[in-house]
Structure formats: C-alpha cells, structure tokens
Amino acid sequence: MAKVRILPDRVANQIAAGEVIERPAAVVKELVENSLDAGATRIEVEFRHGGRSLMRVEDNGCGLSRDDALLALERHATSKIAEAADLDRLASYGFRGEALPSIASVARFELQTREAAGDVGTEILVNGGKFIHVRDCGRPVGTRIEVTHLFNSVPARRKFLKTDQTEAAHIVQCVRLYALACPRTAFTLIEDGRVVFRSPECSTLAERIAEIFGRQTAAELVPLEAMETGMRLSGLIGRPGVGRGTRHEMIVFVNARPVDSRTLNYALIESYHESLPKGRYPLAFVFFECDPAAVDVNVHPAKREVRFRSETAVRGFVIRAVLERLREIGSAEAGNRKLASDVTVTLSVGKAAAPFAPVLPAPDLSHAQPERRVLDNMPRPRSAAPAPIENRESKNENPDWRFVGLAHGNYALFETAAGLVLLDRRAAHERVWFERLQEQFRAGAVPCQRLLLPLPLELDPIASVLLFDRLAFLNAHGFEVAEFGRNFFRVEAVPAWMEPADAEPFLRDLLGALRDGRLQGKDPDVAREELARLAAAKAVRLRETGGEAELSALVGQLFATRHPLTSPGGRPTYIELNHGELARRFQK
Ligand code: ADP
Ligand code: MG
C-alpha cells in the first residue's frame, strides 16, 4: 500500500533546486537578481573553476537583519510579495522565495549580511541543507554570499555539469545580461582571480554593450526608441543587412528581465524580413517595458520565459517600431552608400588612402604598422577572388542540354532531348563547391591565403570557448586563427576561396552552427561535411549575368559530382519538364 507523506524540507529544497539551479550560472543569476532587488549600486561576482568550486556575489544593497536573514533561508520566504495580486505590481526579479533555500540545499552556503540599521553583521553557514551556525560578523552594509562545493551532496547533478570552461562561459554570459539590464549598477566579474570585466556605474547602454559585447558589435548597432499606450521599446538594433546565423545575439529584456520571449523574437525576425536574407537573424539588444500586470513572468522555473496578456498587441507594436526605424536608417544610408561606393572605386585603383575608418577593437591596433593597416582594410579588388568556376575542367561529359537563357539571374533554361530543364544556378554552384571543398578537406590540402594584416575577431565568452575548442579543426581547414587575449582572436589566414572581407561573418556563422550543436560530431567527417556546406554557400559568388559558357560548364561540373540532383542543403538543383508533362500541361 502506498503511504503518502510530506517530504522533509531538506528534500523538498533539493527537488526545487533541481528546477531552479540547473547549473552554476543559475546560482549566479539568482544571487545577482537578489542583489539588484536589494537596491545595490555595486555588485561584484567572483567564481572559480566554472563555479564548481566557488561562486561569490557581494553587494552594497540594503542587507538583512539577523532575523530576516534566518527567515530568508526558509522555503517560500520572501520580502518581495505578500499575496498573489502583488504579482501584477511586480517590480523585483524575485518573488518565489525559493532561490536561497534551494542553493543552500545543494552546496556549502555562507551568507554575511548587514543592514544599515544594524551595528553588526550576521553570518550564517548552511552545508548541503544542514544548518551549521549563525553568528555576528563584521562587515559593511550589504550582503555577501559565498557558494562552494556545488552539487557535492547531489552527485547525479554534478555529473551533468559540462567542462569548467563551458560553465564559466555561461556564468559570464549571465552576468553580462544583468550588467546590460542595469547600466546604473557597477559590475565587476572575476574569474579564477582575473577580472573579466569591470563596468563603472552610470554607463549608457551603448557604452555597456561596447564594453561587454565588444566594439565590433556595438558599431553594427543603431538606437531604437518607441512608445505606444502602455508599452515602450528601446535599446539598440542591428543596421539593415547586419545579421547573424543564429538567434544568440537577439537579446531581449522584458521589464529589465533577460528573457527568451518567442513573441518578441518572432516580432524582431519578422521586422527584418526585408532587411536580412532568409535564414539570418537580427542583432538586437532591446528592452520592452509594460505594466507588470500585462505580463506573466511566472511560467518558467528560472523565469526565462514570459507570457504577455496580449501577445498580438505586443507583436504589432514591436514590428511597427522596428520597421519604422529600419526604414529611417535605410533611407539615411542610401545617400551614404552612394558616397561610399565612390570611395571604393578610388581605393581599388590604388589612389591615396581615404579616411575609411575600420572598426577595430582598441587593443588590436597597438601592434599594427599604420601604413599597412590602411592598405589591408581597403576593399580588395575582385582579382583577389578565387579562379572563376568555369576555368575548372570537368571530368564528365555534359549531358545533352542546350542552354536557352537565364531568368531572374538564377534560373537557367535548357532544352533537352526529353523536354526542358530549369536549373537553379546557385544550388548547382553550391553542389560543385561543396564537393570540391570536401575533396580538399579530405586531402588535408586546403589552399589558404595569408592576410597582410591579421583580422581581429572579438567574441562573446560562449562563442570564444567554442572557437577555442575548434582552433585545431579550423587551422586544418584553411584558416589560421590564433587566440590573442580573452575573447579576442586573430585571423591570420583564410581559405583561398574566401574573400577576406567575408571571413568575420563566416566565422560568426560557423560559431552559430557550433552553438546550435551542428559541427559538433565526434566523427570528423560529419563536422567537415557541415563546414563544407557552410563554406559552399559562401564560396558561390554569382555574377549578375551568367552566360552560356558559365552555365554549360556548370552543368558539366554538376554532373561530375557525386550527387548532382541536390544542393548540399538537400534542395533540388534542377527541375525537368519532359514532353509528356508539357503536353499534359498544355492539354495537347
Ligand atoms: P526571492 O528573491 O524570490 O524573494 P530568495 O530566496 O532569492 O527569494 O531570497 C529570499 C529573501 O532574502 C529575499 O526576499 C530578500 O528579502 C532576501 N535577500 C536575498 N538576497 C539578498 C541580498 N543580496 N540583499 C538583501 N536581501 C536579500
Ligand atoms: Mg531571489
């Protein structure tokens, strides 16, 4: 017979911890939120070994009295709400009263705190949910929480932790998000004794983004500000045409809370529909604000997801706001573009250097020789491009297709003995490039071109870890990328097929693919294939008009591949309409 019993607090807390505290970064998130809720203007976060051995969050917030501190460790103890209706007026990150007891149940947890009214501080120590001591301690007003031996008492969870580097990257990313959300609070983040970033109080959002996400990213953004009844959208968004291969750089806050909101993400993607090619995601750091009653943050254990009372209204507002801004920028930049293209012409015929300010992160300039720097950042003449595809020899006979013409720059019509063929020019080129690159990869002989001056690449910490892990792989495939400082890399050579100007966006896309788990396979062939797929899409550069020579040669090359029927992405390369089909269509 089943016997129903109420779980002891310690067990209940450990179970709750399973939901709230998935990984070290979740501890940091909860503690930083508490510090912000306590009104801190200064927060210092330190961790060691990806948070496994130590996480410490110290603030100058309001602090707690001894009684309150003891109470705060009880389940469902919170100072932030008193009744369910308060959720509609929520102005704090926390409200469930779950985080502290959950963390204390799965780690060694030491809290030191002092409120302004108290003349002495309180220290409480709990280990794996077991209360050890409470005593007076000396400390300034504010709170310091130190979490060590995370998940020691729950080995099952410890097993799920990734490498220290990966866990560290998640912690860094988490602190970055809160530092963005609260530019008025000074943040210091220290990893293994080294300062990762230190953001002073009162910086603007743009400064914070530049400090934390890098100047390269900041330079690609434009400010956004819009208001409608009860809703406000502000922040910075990518210029039209600036996109990423994944959603990781669409960063969205709802009432200052970093969230993963489908509604807002879709609204952003949709707004960029005409400003980005298909499959690209916008770059955005946007803050949506509304009446707390219009949004439910209580739908996810870690509060990552939110639900809006009126999803349609929010979506409509965001799309209108972003579209309008993109249009403004579009028309403002149309004028500039004309100017810029004039400059390009001058440069490529080798006239004196023009003030073509390259966007480089500050540290990279020190080692550069100025005269070469200018040269290297100039647009390259097309002659630097790899040999055009029609110069390649084809192994097989062309099938008996007679070129008729090219429509929309991409669809080539051929007459064949069996009827008609419509060839997708891009898909066919991609297939040819894909197999050519795969061959190079297999042979371990990827021709590469050395850059006159290395290209700086500044990444977020998660991307940096991923790139770092794959340096050997990239270096074996035509790149030469070297680590150059924390989150900084230098691209010293790129594959011969690549325009040097494409290297940065390509590597960012590649990292996006890595982040989505592609290219991850233990089997190097799988990773190589994915790399070739990405590369093939980039390597194809179609001229405006394709002539008979190119297209006939292309058909030959296509049929020399192993899978001429499909593009590397699996789409058909051509469609055949045989006489029977034509007769049927024309009802002959
Ligand atoms: P919640 O944040 O949902 O209220 P927590 O378990 O995270 O629940 O915290 C419990 C309570 O402890 C909070 O409501 C707050 O009163 C207090 N507290 C936690 N951290 C701090 C801090 N850094 N400074 C002041 N008070 C804090
Ligand atoms: Mg909390």
Side-chain angles (χ1 to χ4, degrees):
M1 235 339 233
K3 191 167 179 319
V4 178
R5 61 171 78 83
I6 301 222
L7 291 172
D9 264 0
R10 191 158 161 230
V11 179
N13 283 335
Q14 283 188 351
I15 291 171
E19 284 189 11
V20 187
I21 313 298
E22 322 138 286
R23 62 184 338 160
V27 172
V28 169
K29 168 187 180 289
E30 295 294 338
L31 297 182
V32 167
E33 286 192 349
N34 280 346
S35 295
L36 290 166
D37 283 346
T41 56
R42 236 180 320 113
I43 300 178
E44 187 170 296
V45 180
E46 181 184 0
F47 68 95
R48 285 185 186 276
H49 302 118
R52 224 182 273 256
S53 59
L54 167 82
M55 286 174 279
R56 174 179 65 82
V57 175
E58 188 158 359
D59 66 53
N60 65 349
C62 62
L64 290 162
S65 67
R66 176 181 280 218
D67 287 350
D68 280 345
L70 283 167
L71 204 56
L73 288 168
E74 296 291 326
R75 231 158 114 66
H76 308 307
T78 179
S79 55
K80 298 169 194 174
I81 61 169
E83 52 179 1
D86 288 341
L87 282 175
D88 283 347
R89 301 182 275 271
L90 197 65
S92 57
Y93 288 112
F95 53 82
R96 295 200 192 111
E98 258 177 355
L100 294 190
S102 299
I103 299 166
S105 74
V106 292
R108 182 182 183 279
F109 175 96
E110 190 193 86
L111 173 144
Q112 289 189 344
T113 185
R114 195 189 120 202
E115 56 175 358
D119 28 68
V120 67
T122 304
E123 177 185 293
I124 300 175
L125 179 63
V126 181
N127 194 0
K130 261 193 276 187
F131 178 82
I132 309 287
H133 69 230
V134 54
R135 60 187 180 208
D136 288 348
C137 72
R139 63 154 291 118
V141 175
T143 304
R144 171 189 197 275
I145 291 178
E146 198 177 276
V147 176
T148 51
H149 304 106
L150 181 68
F151 297 142
N152 255 15
S153 49
V154 253
R157 290 205 70 80
R158 221 177 150 82
K159 263 193 253 151
F160 280 101
L161 293 181
K162 300 278 192 317
T163 62
D164 284 2
Q165 267 185 330
T166 302
E167 296 301 342
H170 283 274
I171 293 177
V172 175
Q173 181 69 358
C174 163
V175 181
R176 280 154 46 110
L177 292 185
Y178 285 91
L180 277 190
C182 309
R184 276 192 291 269
T185 303
F187 278 85
T188 305
L189 178 62
I190 303 167
E191 176 186 2
D192 295 329
R194 282 178 309 160
V195 174
V196 178
F197 67 80
R198 198 189 291 278
S199 297
E201 259 170 79
C202 292
S203 37
T204 64
L205 176 65
E207 284 164 16
R208 279 263 153 126
I209 292 178
E211 271 164 18
I212 297 177
F213 283 78
R215 302 205 176 265
Q216 280 181 342
T217 297
E220 294 178 307
L221 303 169
V222 289
L224 164 79
E225 171 82 56
M227 225 169 342
E228 251 176 47
T229 29
M231 295 182 280
R232 176 167 181 255
L233 190 70
S234 61
L236 291 135
I237 55 173
R239 296 174 185 285
V242 174
R244 297 285 193 253
T246 69
R247 304 158 183 245
H248 295 296
E249 281 167 86
M250 281 169 57
I251 295 177
V252 172
F253 300 85
V254 171
N255 292 339
R257 190 188 296 278
V259 293
D260 187 10
S261 158
R262 276 171 72 92
T263 307
L264 294 179
N265 285 348
Y266 278 119
L268 282 167
I269 292 169
E270 216 158 299
S271 311
Y272 274 82
H273 181 69
E274 289 187 356
S275 305
L276 284 177
K278 215 165 143 235
R280 307 290 297 170
Y281 296 95
L283 188 61
F285 297 85
V286 294
F287 292 78
F288 177 84
E289 287 159 82
C290 64
D291 178 358
V295 52
D296 185 0
V297 291
N298 198 15
V299 290
H300 184 273
K303 308 181 188 113
R304 259 201 310 270
E305 286 160 27
V306 292
R307 202 170 293 144
F308 296 104
R309 199 143 291 169
S310 172
E311 304 272 339
T312 336
V314 170
R315 220 183 90 150
F317 163 59
V318 172
I319 293 179
R320 276 191 299 280
V322 177
L323 266 185
E324 190 176 330
R325 188 69 182 108
L326 288 174
R327 264 189 225 119
E328 276 170 23
I329 306 159
S331 46
E333 284 188 355
N336 296 346
R337 208 169 301 137
K338 203 193 155 293
L339 249 169
S341 63
D342 292 346
V343 175
T344 312
V345 172
T346 332
L347 288 176
S348 49
V349 296
K351 284 236 184 95
F356 215 73
V359 185
L360 295 173
D364 292 282
L365 297 178
S366 51
H367 66 285
Q369 297 162 8
E371 59 292 4
R372 286 172 74 203
R373 183 198 323 156
V374 175
L375 268 175
D376 202 59
N377 283 290
M378 282 187 204
R380 269 148 221 278
R382 278 279 146 175
S383 61
I389 216 156
E390 55 265 48
N391 290 354
R392 314 268 307 196
E393 266 182 306
S394 57
K395 288 178 233 154
N396 276 16
E397 293 270 300
N398 281 12
D400 190 16
W401 291 4
R402 199 181 63 75
F403 178 68
V404 179
L406 186 70
H408 300 293
N410 193 46
Y411 299 108
L413 182 67
F414 293 87
E415 188 185 80
T416 70
L420 294 175
V421 161
L422 212 49
L423 176 87
D424 184 321
R425 186 180 169 213
R426 168 165 284 279
H429 273 299
E430 279 188 24
R431 164 55 65 187
V432 172
W433 268 109
F434 176 67
E435 296 205 0
R436 183 180 300 163
L437 290 167
Q438 272 193 315
E439 230 166 78
Q440 291 180 357
F441 291 173
R442 256 195 307 271
V446 184
C448 74
Q449 46 179 332
R450 194 147 271 291
L451 302 180
L452 262 178
L453 197 83
L455 196 81
L457 187 66
E458 191 182 6
L459 297 172
D460 71 58
I462 297 179
S464 297
V465 170
L466 290 170
L467 181 60
F468 187 80
D469 285 349
R470 304 302 271 188
L471 281 182
F473 175 75
L474 285 177
N475 292 349
H477 292 90
F479 288 93
E480 247 176 66
V481 184
E483 200 192 18
F484 167 57
R486 201 188 167 90
N487 301 335
F488 272 103
F489 293 85
R490 252 187 346 210
V491 184
E492 281 158 4
V494 298
W497 53 263
M498 177 177 274
E499 281 281 347
D502 286 342
E504 191 205 325
F506 180 80
L507 284 168
R508 287 192 191 273
D509 285 0
L510 192 72
L511 291 166
L514 277 170
R515 211 158 169 166
D516 287 346
R518 289 178 278 151
L519 273 144
Q520 210 71 308
K522 298 252 180 323
D523 181 357
D525 285 342
V526 176
R528 242 184 256 144
E529 185 174 318
E530 187 61 37
L531 179 66
R533 213 186 311 280
L534 285 168
K538 206 63 178 194
V540 176
R541 274 183 294 271
L542 301 180
R543 259 178 272 123
E544 290 283 301
T545 50
E548 179 164 3
E550 177 207 321
L551 284 147
S552 300
L554 174 60
V555 172
Q557 291 155 7
L558 180 65
F559 279 89
T561 65
R562 279 173 297 127
H563 301 287
L565 299 185
T566 54
S567 76
R571 286 180 300 108
T573 47
Y574 64 89
I575 302 169
E576 234 171 334
L577 288 168
N578 59 28
H579 292 301
E581 173 73 8
L582 287 168
R584 196 181 59 75
R585 292 279 183 114
F586 288 110
Q587 302 178 3
K588 282 186 188 157

